[in-house]
Amino acid sequence: MSYTQEEKLICHIYYEYNYAKDSFPNFRAVAKNSNSFFAMSIGNPAVVATTSMVNDMHLPDFAYKEINEKAFYDSMDFWNDQEGIAIGDPTDDCMSIIITRDGGETWTKLSCDALPKAKEGEAAFAASDTNISIVGNHTWVATGGKASRILYSPDKGKTWEVYDTPIVQGKETTGMYSIDFYDETNGFAIGGDYTKPNDTLNNKIRTKDGGKTWQVVTNGKGPGYRSCVQYIPNSNAKELVAIGFKGIDYSNDSGETWKHLSDEGFYTIRFLNDSVAYTAGKGRISKLTFRE
């Protein structure tokens, strides 16, 4: 019997955890380059597993492993085939950021000396694997919780700045849950408070200057808490889809107005092209067609 690389990866993970520790990691983030598929877990130990590790069922160590009771990773993405980034909650006085420059074979955690200091209660949410948005060399990271800000790097994680946002914040369950940039200037973020999913105040924000400043849009209207937002490709930064356990919503005017499409609950969405997207929820994956 032959196995795919992804199936071999699952066998490797089961071997490491079920047999050795009688537990299985909770994977909330995935990413890929042209050579490998990557899965990243939350919790302690935090691990990055990759299909490049498994060949003919050989079971080496993980590409990255962090043992820390505060470890909690949220999102992962790649700039190109060689360089990628993952972000997590603070274990010291800054957000946790790990970077690979060798195609995911090894990952290095950035020192807090190279990052903006985290505010008290600032973290991130592992709700949809969309806390990171990348356009070219530009990277935006959305934090949440008692403080909800934008960490921005213009050079693939070498230097960082931080920008405030007007999104609802102040509690552990508030802030940005998802961010997406259409290009280097136009971005959108959504969130709220998942314990109050019908609240629509200050939970949708937009930038037109690359994340330096943000404005609340559709305040008191449109979708409440949502865990994921994505621009529809080839829409000139006009069309957006927001996903959450309360349903699916669509905007064709950069978030100024919204149409509720469905009460079906999902956690995350990705577009294959400007017509087809795939959503994932609890125990299911669905295909959405927006244009024939």
Side-chain angles (χ1 to χ4, degrees), residues 109-132:
K109 189 170 184 177
L110 297 185
S111 166
C112 283
D113 293 338
L115 293 168
K117 301 301 181 185
K119 290 189 174 182
E120 182 180 356
E122 185 176 19
F125 298 108
S128 62
D129 193 13
T130 52
N131 305 88
I132 302 170

Side-chain angles (χ1 to χ4, degrees), residues 167-277:
I167 203 162
V168 59
Q169 52 198 282
K171 296 171 54 180
E172 291 181 352
T173 53
T174 57
M176 291 178 286
Y177 280 71
S178 178
I179 187 173
D180 193 30
F181 269 76
Y182 184 83
D183 52 30
E184 293 180 7
T185 57
N186 292 284
F188 201 92
I190 202 164
D193 185 344
Y194 82 87
T195 67
K196 299 177 181 179
N198 295 322
D199 284 4
T200 59
L201 291 174
N202 302 319
N203 74 312
K204 300 169 288 292
I205 60 174
R206 183 179 65 205
T207 181
K208 295 183 178 180
D209 60 7
K212 295 179 177 64
T213 62
W214 295 78
Q215 296 76 42
V216 174
V217 296
T218 327
N219 207 17
K221 301 178 182 178
Y225 163 78
R226 294 293 183 266
S227 57
C228 186
V229 67
Q230 295 283 281
Y231 282 102
I232 296 180
N234 304 317
S235 68
N236 196 30
K238 297 293 186 183
E239 295 180 89
L240 291 153
V241 176
I243 295 283
F245 63 77
K246 282 287 188 174
I248 304 171
D249 298 88
Y250 165 80
S251 173
N252 64 2
D253 55 9
S254 302
E256 291 292 340
T257 61
W258 293 82
K259 180 180 180 181
H260 188 66
L261 299 182
S262 173
D263 291 331
E264 292 291 323
F266 295 93
Y267 299 138
T268 192
I269 183 172
R270 297 294 188 280
F271 279 88
L272 182 64
N273 50 47
D274 59 10
S275 303
V276 176

